[in-house]
Amino acid sequence: MSSEERQLELQGEVWMTMGGQHLGGPDRVALLAAIAEHGSITKAAKAIKMSYKAAWDAIDAMNNLAGEPLVERLAGGKGGGGTHLTKRGTQLVENFRQIEREHRLFIEHLSRQSHALADDFLLLQTMRMKTSARNQFAGTVSVIKRGAVNDEITLDIVGGQKIIAIITRDSTDSLGLVEGCAAFALIKASSIIIATGDSEAKLSARNRLCGTVSRLQTGAVNSDVSIALPGGGTIAATVTRDSEELLELEVGMPASALFKASAVIIGVPG
């Protein structure tokens, strides 16, 4: 093998995190840029060869972790009046592009020096956390109530809302949780119960996040329901199609997401 064939080339991409959680990289920024260009989620997803559902999931995740909306739906017309980036979303795209250019120049500079590295240089792979939980919320621990076995953790999230979790005392200690520290909550979409109507009803579920139905995706058996929360957050639920029809769910109607404190997983950046 010639020295040209063995020459090491360095590559890399810029990724953004918020509170230790994956906010986005080139793919998500490309989605934001395509939304700004086309004014439509459907057209933007098609332009970057991403499924409509994956595009909306990415937008929901970015809005939640950024702490404010990056993408907003415009009112008007059947099916809505299109979609656009907020001022913060536009700024994020511009700043990411600038950082990406500087990063590319840095990588090119390092790559020119790579001939001095050993031929058997070990390539390292970066491991990223992957989770099946659809709902991820970054926030701040505001209250810790200690118990003999379990602790009650209150997490302040986007829009001034709160999520309550029940975890073991050992978990509180091993995570290093203290009031005022950054943390994130994970909730599976299948653990969410959708409620409409009387918001004063008494329920055993400790968590109730109220908002407006922002998206419905009806399937043969189950349906995906997204509820837009005050402040720009979104929570997703998986319900049966029968439940969707029974509740007469429609985009734009008030709804609540209910879930038990025991269904919440707490994590910390690290």
Side-chain angles (χ1 to χ4, degrees):
M1 183 180 289
S2 67
S3 59
E4 288 78 16
E5 291 174 319
R6 290 184 320 216
Q7 184 172 343
L8 181 67
E9 294 183 0
L10 303 182
Q11 298 179 351
E13 291 183 334
V14 179
W15 294 87
M16 300 177 290
T17 62
M18 185 74 68
Q21 291 295 288
H22 173 57
L23 178 62
D27 54 342
R28 287 188 174 179
V29 172
L31 174 61
L32 293 178
I35 291 171
E37 178 182 357
H38 298 285
S40 162
I41 296 292
T42 301
K43 292 180 180 178
K46 184 176 180 180
I48 66 170
K49 295 179 173 58
M50 180 182 290
S51 73
Y52 180 80
K53 182 178 182 299
W56 263 115
D57 287 345
I59 290 167
D60 288 346
M62 287 188 286
N63 281 345
N64 286 342
L65 295 176
E68 61 180 295
L70 303 178
V71 176
E72 287 183 336
R73 185 188 294 273
L74 298 173
K78 184 177 181 181
T83 311
H84 78 130
L85 299 188
T86 63
K87 182 179 179 181
R88 183 70 183 91
T90 300
Q91 181 186 49
L92 182 66
V93 172
E94 293 175 352
N95 289 345
F96 184 89
R97 294 303 190 204
Q98 182 176 349
I99 292 170
E100 196 173 40
R101 285 193 294 271
E102 294 299 324
H103 179 261
R104 184 167 56 252
L105 292 174
F106 174 71
I107 292 296
E108 289 173 356
H109 173 73
L110 286 183
S111 193
R112 288 194 292 270
Q113 312 299 320
S114 64
H115 63 277
L117 299 176
D119 288 343
D120 58 349
F121 180 82
L122 297 177
L123 300 178
L124 302 178
Q125 294 183 329
T126 303
M127 299 187 65
R128 302 196 304 270
M129 184 188 78
K130 295 183 178 180
T131 174
S132 62
R134 291 271 304 280
N135 298 297
Q136 303 179 31
F137 293 93
T140 303
V141 175
S142 59
V143 179
I144 298 178
K145 293 183 180 179
R146 304 285 274 184
V149 179
N150 295 323
D151 293 344
E152 180 180 290
I153 311 297
T154 300
L155 189 69
D156 292 345
I157 62 167
V158 59
Q161 302 207 60
K162 300 178 183 296
I163 290 177
I164 298 174
I166 298 295
I167 63 176
T168 65
R169 289 198 64 168
D170 288 344
S171 295
T172 301
D173 295 336
S174 65
L175 291 172
L177 295 179
V178 294
E179 293 180 2
C181 76
F184 57 86
L186 306 177
I187 312 106
K188 287 187 175 183
S190 57
S191 298
I192 307 294
I193 298 172
I194 297 295
T196 59
D198 184 11
S199 61
E200 301 301 322
K202 294 182 179 180
L203 302 162
S204 62
R206 296 291 305 279
N207 294 288
R208 182 169 197 152
L209 301 183
C210 301
T212 304
V213 176
S214 59
R215 182 161 53 104
L216 283 172
Q217 188 168 7
T218 302
V221 178
N222 295 322
S223 299
D224 283 339
V225 184
S226 294
I227 297 177
L229 305 174
T234 302
I235 189 164
T238 300
V239 301
T240 65
R241 185 169 180 176
D242 288 343
S243 295
E244 178 192 343
E245 294 173 352
L246 180 64
L247 293 171
E248 299 180 340
L249 295 178
E250 294 180 356
V251 172
M253 70 182 296
S256 299
L258 313 174
F259 51 98
K260 293 184 176 182
S262 57
V264 181
I265 298 173
I266 296 293
V268 294

